[in-house]
Amino acid sequence: MTSILPQLGQWHGPEDLRRLQEKQLAQTITWASRSPFYRRSLASTALPTTAADLAGLPLTSKQDLRDNYPFGMLAVPKERLATYHESSGTAGQPTPSYYTAEDWVDLAERFARKWIGMSAADVFLVRTPYALLLTGHLAHAAGRLHGATVVPGDNRSLAMPYARVVRVMHDLGVTLTWSVPTECLIWAATAAAAGHRPGADFPALRALFVGGEPLTDARRARISRLWGVPVIEEYGSTETGSLAGECPNGRMHLWADRALFEVYDPRTGTVDVEGEGQLVVTPLFREAMPLLRYNLEDNVSVSYADCACGWNLPTVQVLGRAAFGYAVGAATVTQHRLEEVVFSLPDSHGVVFWRARAEPAVLRIEIEVAPEHRAAAVAELTAKVRDVFGVDSEVVGLAPGTLIPHEALTSMPDVVKPRSLFGPGEDWGKALLYY
Ligand SMILES: [Zn+2]
């Protein structure tokens, strides 16, 4: 399939990229001015024609999207919509997103920019939700774009317990997967419960695509060692689709040929093209629901430093809630740093499932660990926590199956269809509500 949209390798340096962005900006503004929301907000402003002018417009917030639920941001006749999505809102307020078929070409192409490639030879397990988010459909469309066989393995469906995921991965020769990183660890435990070795008994597997959850280098490396394949990270949202992906050098690049990016400092109210702050995005090829200066409120660090991959795209580090932590004694314990510490234990201890509770005077940590490694793992983790945070911890080694019950990895519940007529001995408790 040939696309008229910009493709990697078509621009040579920042000037060239800027020209490409500005060429599309006028179209983006025209599209935006067709939506009731932007018609109102743009009415009193001179329409921007350059990326620099854009900074004169107010930011669009997630709350704006909620306030304009469902179709206040719609810029095309409803007949042209291809899909409607919502992201999980707080306090039950839905955040709507919708796309035309043309918007979907841009969406699918952005997600499909994986350095390892996708082709008709691939069997691609999509293990993120299909309802009501974008993520499952996004990966699905990207796989289809390149002719891959897509296995729709929705992680919120009763029809797809872990045992079935691993059976499918094994028996179908799944080559690529898309999920949150935690799934990859649970699959490894599920595979072991089914008598398979994750690193050896899935020879077709080429890579694990992950996103949607913070991931430290230590955990990522652990997942990669467990499965013996690269872990390739992706960053995006239901409101925007894929915003960044990894190059062969392991750096995350923003798709700046498809969207304009700014970094907003909420303390000063200023924006910059790089540095640390909240990521603000203006998608350039989005007609159904244009967004001008949409503030994702994700903390990021953006850099225009060169990368040897030659993509000529800025890099982004998603800090997310990395800075958020709980006080324990005089220290602040963040999930990010604690995860690094837990996953720095030797692989041979087999510790992958854990949880912790930060209390004012002590950090309580529970790890799943086999009895033969328990004493060593507990002692090492206690020492590491003291080294890194300077706080006391109470580490408890739990039997495997305590945090992630064995049954969750092995059960294969029946998913039944509704039915009204039953035989004399049959359970008719779930006649119509078939959950
Ligand atoms: Zn690169």
Side-chain angles (χ1 to χ4, degrees):
M1 185 181 158
T2 46
S3 165
I4 53 161
L5 301 171
Q7 305 297 327
L8 293 177
Q10 284 180 346
W11 59 93
H12 309 282
E15 282 308 311
D16 218 15
L17 179 62
R18 197 160 10 254
R19 253 195 307 280
L20 204 102
Q21 293 167 334
E22 292 197 349
K23 202 174 104 193
Q24 185 62 20
L25 187 61
Q27 177 69 77
T28 305
I29 302 288
T30 305
W31 284 337
S33 60
R34 289 178 188 153
S35 86
F37 174 75
Y38 285 114
R39 205 157 41 229
R40 282 195 306 275
S41 72
L42 293 176
S44 56
T45 337
L47 292 184
T49 53
T50 66
D53 294 349
L54 200 65
L57 298 180
L59 298 179
T60 302
S61 68
K62 198 168 244 200
Q63 194 56 46
D64 290 326
L65 269 51
R66 291 177 187 143
D67 292 344
N68 286 277
Y69 164 84
F71 289 122
M73 313 288 291
L74 182 69
V76 297
K78 247 185 225 162
E79 294 73 17
R80 287 195 50 210
L81 289 185
T83 59
Y84 172 89
H85 305 271
E86 286 176 8
S87 52
S88 21
T90 48
Q93 274 189 309
T95 308
S97 298
Y98 25 88
Y99 301 93
T100 64
E102 291 78 8
D103 295 344
W104 263 104
V105 176
D106 170 44
L107 283 174
E109 286 189 353
R110 275 186 274 144
F111 185 94
R113 285 177 169 177
K114 299 284 184 274
W115 64 261
I116 202 156
M118 294 171 94
S119 78
D122 281 308
V123 180
F124 183 25
L125 173 68
V126 176
R127 180 63 173 166
T128 56
Y130 278 65
L132 202 51
L133 305 174
L134 185 71
T135 167
H137 301 272
L138 189 57
H140 193 120
R144 290 303 306 126
L145 182 70
H146 288 273
T149 304
V150 176
V151 183
D154 193 321
N155 69 328
R156 303 228 179 119
S157 166
L158 288 178
M160 204 65 187
Y162 287 108
R164 196 171 194 183
V165 170
V166 166
R167 196 255 296 153
V168 160
M169 285 176 72
H170 182 265
D171 294 358
L172 275 58
V174 164
T175 59
L176 301 169
T177 64
W178 163 236
S179 68
V180 292
T182 295
E183 283 269 332
C184 304
L185 293 171
I186 299 177
W187 302 340
T190 307
H196 300 307
R197 295 157 300 165
D201 296 335
F202 298 79
L205 194 65
R206 299 200 297 125
L208 304 161
F209 300 156
V210 299
E213 191 194 354
L215 180 64
T216 56
D217 289 345
R219 186 159 71 118
R220 175 201 170 100
R222 184 63 181 281
I223 294 170
S224 184
R225 286 195 301 275
L226 267 170
W227 287 99
V229 296
V231 172
I232 300 175
E233 222 179 333
E234 154 82 29
Y235 168 62
S237 74
T238 286
E239 295 87 61
T240 59
S242 172
L243 293 172
E246 262 180 55
C247 76
N249 298 330
R251 299 186 67 188
M252 189 94 102
H253 289 275
L254 288 169
W255 308 133
D257 59 317
R258 301 292 182 95
L260 281 174
F261 294 97
E262 300 168 86
V263 181
Y264 172 69
D265 183 340
R267 289 164 307 178
T268 60
T270 55
V271 288
D272 207 335
V273 292
E274 57 188 330
E276 228 173 88
Q278 297 180 334
L279 189 65
V280 171
V281 56
T282 302
L284 290 169
F285 294 91
R286 174 144 180 203
E287 194 180 357
M289 187 179 136
L291 292 173
L292 302 178
R293 310 193 73 210
Y294 178 60
N295 186 3
L296 278 146
E297 290 167 35
D298 272 351
N299 290 318
V300 298
S301 173
V302 173
S303 161
Y304 278 78
D306 278 344
C307 179
C309 67
W311 283 1
N312 288 309
L313 288 170
T315 55
V316 63
Q317 208 191 335
V318 183
L319 309 168
R321 284 160 59 90
F324 177 79
Y326 296 92
V328 179
T332 299
V333 176
T334 63
Q335 164 155 337
H336 201 81
R337 280 182 80 198
L338 187 54
E339 180 180 297
E340 285 273 354
V341 171
V342 173
F343 282 92
S344 69
L345 290 172
D347 289 9
S348 54
H349 290 343
V351 176
V352 290
F353 301 125
W354 64 282
R355 66 182 177 191
R357 191 188 288 284
E359 293 180 6
V362 68
L363 182 63
R364 294 189 195 285
I365 307 174
E366 294 183 339
I367 54 174
E368 271 194 11
V369 58
E372 62 271 31
H373 300 293
R374 193 162 297 163
V378 167
E380 281 170 52
L381 188 53
T382 307
K384 278 175 192 285
V385 167
R386 170 139 292 282
D387 273 0
V388 171
F389 298 105
V391 300
D392 288 330
S393 63
E394 207 173 277
V395 181
V396 178
L398 304 170
T402 312
L403 297 177
I404 303 273
H406 189 72
E407 194 195 285
L409 307 180
T410 53
S411 71
M412 194 78 91
D414 278 342
V415 178
V416 295
K417 287 185 177 178
R419 180 184 160 194
S420 297
L421 180 62
F422 295 81
E426 286 184 300
D427 173 13
W428 65 355
K430 283 188 182 174
L432 295 170
L433 283 171
Y434 51 100
Y435 57 85

